[in-house]
Amino acid sequence: LCIYREYIQNSADAIDAASRACAIPRSSYEIRITIEPREHRIEISDNGFGLAAEAAERILVSVGDSDKFGNRERGFRGIGRLGGVAYCESLRFRAKAAGEKKETVSRWDCQRIKQLLSPSNRPARSLTLQDLIEECVDVERQDPNCRVDESYFKVELENVRCVKNVLLDARAVSHYLSQVAPVPFDNM
């Protein structure tokens, strides 16, 4: 369940950054979690600062390279967003900054990553982290169905599988987040 906390921490940081820049009224910010158990799908999105296209690809494919600094932001290692790799077949990050017409989409082929990192896959042992990323991650720019002034960051986990499907259990997720989420909780 800690992957939810990681994604929410990143969203809270993006909202704090947007709030400092006075992008939209503070009451308009939100973090939305959508759990679709039948489809084995999870989406976590925010309408915070987003990511500018010029930096999005570097940020979305990096590992351990975080721009967060000091105690103002919640994360600092640049690896939390990759926690979902262990629990799904495909992990997608969608990011758009206000004023930009296109979104940046980074798709991680988690099934392939797990195959390459398997202890029984001897040929893959010589792969570097950069090789792994180049083989398993695609980044593209797409036309989103939204206004130019919108900014957002979305995490999409497809074909989620875990023990007892706890990641797809809204009650378990709600209980967990009520204890650890760094934001107020509104159960609509």
Side-chain angles (χ1 to χ4, degrees), residues 24-122:
I24 62 175
R26 185 127 182 103
S27 61
S28 299
Y29 293 108
E30 71 177 7
I31 299 169
R32 182 174 301 257
I33 300 170
T34 305
I35 300 172
E36 299 172 355
R38 288 189 177 106
E39 292 80 20
H40 291 268
R41 185 177 188 287
I42 299 167
E43 180 178 303
I44 300 153
S45 63
D46 68 69
N47 61 342
F49 211 64
L51 286 175
E54 65 198 36
E57 183 171 352
R58 176 188 60 82
I59 291 169
L60 295 175
V61 300
S62 71
V63 176
D65 180 24
S66 177
D67 291 339
K68 295 181 180 182
F69 179 75
N71 59 4
R72 187 167 68 177
E73 296 171 302
R74 290 158 186 89
F76 63 93
R77 291 188 184 101
I79 58 173
R81 76 180 189 294
L82 300 178
V85 168
Y87 303 104
C88 61
E89 288 182 11
S90 175
L91 177 61
R92 228 177 351 263
F93 302 105
R94 296 181 178 278
K96 182 184 165 309
E100 295 187 345
K101 293 181 180 175
K102 294 191 177 224
E103 70 178 357
T104 303
V105 180
S106 173
R107 182 185 169 278
W108 293 66
D109 183 343
C110 304
Q111 193 168 9
R112 181 73 178 134
I113 291 171
K114 288 179 252 188
Q115 289 170 348
L116 290 172
L117 293 178
S118 170
S120 63
N121 188 350
R122 286 193 171 304

